[in-house]
Amino acid sequence: MIQHSWSSTVRELAERAELAHSTASWAEAALTQHSGDRSSRGRLLSNVALSRARDAALLKAARFALCRRAAGRPAPLWLPHGRVLPGAATPRWWREAATRDDAGIWRVIPLPGPERLVGLPEDDPLVLAVAEQARLLQASLLGHQNRDAFYEAFEPDGHRGEGTSVEPLRRLGSKTSWKVQTWVNPRLGMRVRADREDEFQQANRDRRAVWERSRAYGDAVVALLRRVG
């Protein structure tokens, strides 16, 4: 029977983390070099899509490996790959799919907890580092899930973004009311509620940070698994 060691699993996970970091750097470079023409935009979107796919794949693999190690199971024969396109090619259909649903990253956000079951003290810095990155990823997920809850429908008064707030529909709540109200009555506008502006900004920051946080989580899991062997 073929059996892999945890050292080879950690080595593969570390290679994926390195690849995710390098692809993120390419995407950042493409953003700074973006000139606005169609060719430049295509390269930018390709790099962003590939970076997101590799970040999501890293997060999925790191969560899987950590949970398996915490359960006391043997090293897996392979780590899950997610939906990363093989090679460097990024056809348009794949690029649009990866960017439309954020490469499925919201379905693989880890929970804090497994890092406490690998045999190290709970106050070990490596355990705490993984727990903190999981907590931050949960904040990103919450920002993603609540992104519609900060808006309201309003009756415009002729000035951009100004007018009278429209009460949300009682049975739908604020998260979906403004969508229904603006669809039923095209004259209505939508805006962030004034009393939730700070929450909205924080949720946006958390949501956008999911990519960087996914790589940080992968790095933290690699360091932890290397320690426990």
Side-chain angles (χ1 to χ4, degrees):
M1 177 183 294
I2 299 176
Q3 186 169 359
H4 284 201
S5 66
W6 274 109
S7 60
S8 63
T9 296
V10 174
R11 185 165 54 251
E12 180 183 348
L13 190 60
E15 290 171 355
R16 292 200 191 182
E18 183 177 353
L19 184 60
H21 279 288
S22 62
T23 308
S25 297
W26 298 339
E28 184 65 27
L31 181 62
T32 60
Q33 298 168 7
H34 179 46
S35 61
D37 58 71
R38 180 175 298 180
S39 175
S40 176
R41 175 176 171 78
R43 288 194 301 272
L44 172 61
L45 293 179
S46 293
N47 278 278
V48 169
L50 190 56
S51 179
R52 289 185 175 187
R54 285 178 173 164
D55 286 347
L58 170 63
L59 188 60
K60 184 176 184 178
R63 185 185 73 166
F64 172 80
L66 180 59
C67 288
R68 192 176 178 94
R69 184 65 177 81
R73 301 178 64 189
L77 295 180
W78 57 79
L79 291 172
H81 282 275
R83 291 182 290 160
V84 179
L85 186 74
T90 53
R92 182 175 179 179
W93 66 264
W94 178 88
R95 182 180 71 197
E96 292 178 349
T99 52
R100 183 171 55 249
D101 69 351
D102 288 336
I105 198 168
W106 305 113
R107 293 191 291 275
V108 296
I109 299 294
L111 288 168
E115 64 280 352
R116 297 186 286 107
L117 304 175
V118 297
L120 294 179
E122 292 189 12
D123 61 351
D124 186 282
L126 295 179
V127 173
L128 295 176
V130 174
E132 174 64 7
Q133 294 306 323
R135 184 192 67 77
L136 290 172
L137 283 165
Q138 284 293 314
S140 291
L141 177 61
L142 186 62
H144 171 71
Q145 292 174 334
N146 289 339
R147 66 190 186 279
D148 293 336
F150 304 103
Y151 292 96
E152 67 176 0
F154 74 101
E155 185 77 42
D157 64 1
H159 297 85
R160 183 179 180 84
E162 297 183 7
T164 305
S165 298
V166 177
E167 287 295 319
L169 301 173
R170 185 173 302 175
R171 292 189 177 182
L172 294 181
S174 59
K175 193 169 183 177
T176 54
S177 278
W178 66 267
K179 292 183 179 181
V180 174
Q181 290 168 318
T182 53
W183 180 77
V184 172
N185 186 353
R187 294 188 302 103
L188 297 179
M190 53 82 68
R191 65 186 177 191
V192 177
R193 290 172 47 185
D195 61 338
R196 305 200 68 182
E197 182 67 34
D198 289 344
E199 292 178 81
F200 172 75
Q201 295 298 338
Q202 183 60 54
N204 271 348
R205 286 192 292 268
D206 283 331
R207 187 176 188 275
R208 289 193 297 266
V210 69
W211 311 107
E212 181 180 350
R213 290 172 180 177
S214 68
R215 296 189 294 274
Y217 181 85
D219 292 342
V221 169
V222 166
L224 179 62
L225 294 182
R226 275 178 175 158
R227 168 75 72 82
V228 299

